[in-house]
Amino acid sequence: MRLLPRLQLFEFLDQPWLPALLRRGEVDYLRVVLDRVRPYDSVAPQLAELLRMSGTDRVVDLCSGAGGPWRTLLPVLRKMHPDAEVVLTDLHPTPVPELPAGAQYRDTPVDVTRVPEELTGLRTLFEALHHFPPKQARALLADAATRGVPIAAFELTQRSLPYVLLQLLLIVPLVWGFTPLIRPRSGWRLLLTYLVPIIPLLILWDGVVSSLRTYAPEDLEELTEGLDTDGYRWHNGVHRAQGMTITYLIGLPRRRP
């Protein structure tokens, strides 16, 4: 499929000046979609295998935001790897209610290019790698390779014209459809979703921009070129399940005898 040019445009959720109410409106929608659609449950076998190959039970999730997919993903993962646990981290930590058993949120900031040494385990990123321009993305990947720790990044968005056109057609109706499922219900959310549709338009913009910033497999090859020293190896590909396409990048140290 022919790719669109990669554009490092801005997303509203990345902006510190975005009003808290609008930020919450967008984050709550994304949380409900992840909880209901559960797109990343399908990568649980892949994560279980990575934990086994890495000899660890701990996942260190980077750029976790409001918890990412872990509310549904971790229970599925623990059926395959019963001792699995996840530490959620972010540069700007956000308290997350109702985390599943085995999950905790680190309350101090974590820079993805310099992850604290005590945070050992399989590093993961979900819908996060595209937020970083190539220089920063390479730096966070280099940090994992230099330290010899495993890392796995997953992206649901695609940088193709059909995908972007589908977003333009469907995102606003989807926001209208999922909003009644968000709890607790609030008047401001209904106002800013249906009467003055600021939240749907913010989500539409950020969704399209996320697609235009997404790294395709060939981009991932360039990002990891030269980072396979000292036995560290990289692998990228596409995982398809339930009509969804997930691009992934995995970095693994060679196991010592």
Side-chain angles (χ1 to χ4, degrees), residues 12 26 28 48 52 67 79 101 105 118 154 168 180 186 188 224 237-238 255-256:
F12 283 101
E26 189 166 353
D28 285 349
R52 186 194 66 77
K79 292 179 181 178
Y105 208 121
E118 68 270 18
F154 301 91
L168 291 171
S186 57
W188 65 265
T224 56
V238 174
R255 298 194 69 172
R256 307 297 182 187

Side-chain angles (χ1 to χ4, degrees), residues 1-59:
M1 182 178 294
R2 188 177 181 84
L3 294 178
L4 295 170
R6 186 178 183 277
L7 301 175
Q8 191 69 37
L9 303 174
F10 81 94
E11 293 185 43
F12 283 101
L13 272 183
D14 291 341
Q15 310 308 312
W17 48 259
L18 183 68
L21 209 60
L22 296 180
R23 183 180 302 277
R24 181 179 169 188
E26 189 166 353
V27 167
D28 285 349
Y29 165 77
L30 296 174
R31 172 177 53 82
V32 166
V33 169
L34 284 174
D35 288 351
R36 298 284 178 153
V37 180
R38 305 174 68 149
Y40 288 112
D41 285 13
S42 62
V43 305
Q46 196 172 18
L47 290 174
E49 178 64 11
L50 289 173
L51 290 175
R52 186 194 66 77
M53 294 174 63
S54 305
T56 184
D57 297 323
R58 177 192 279 181
V59 174

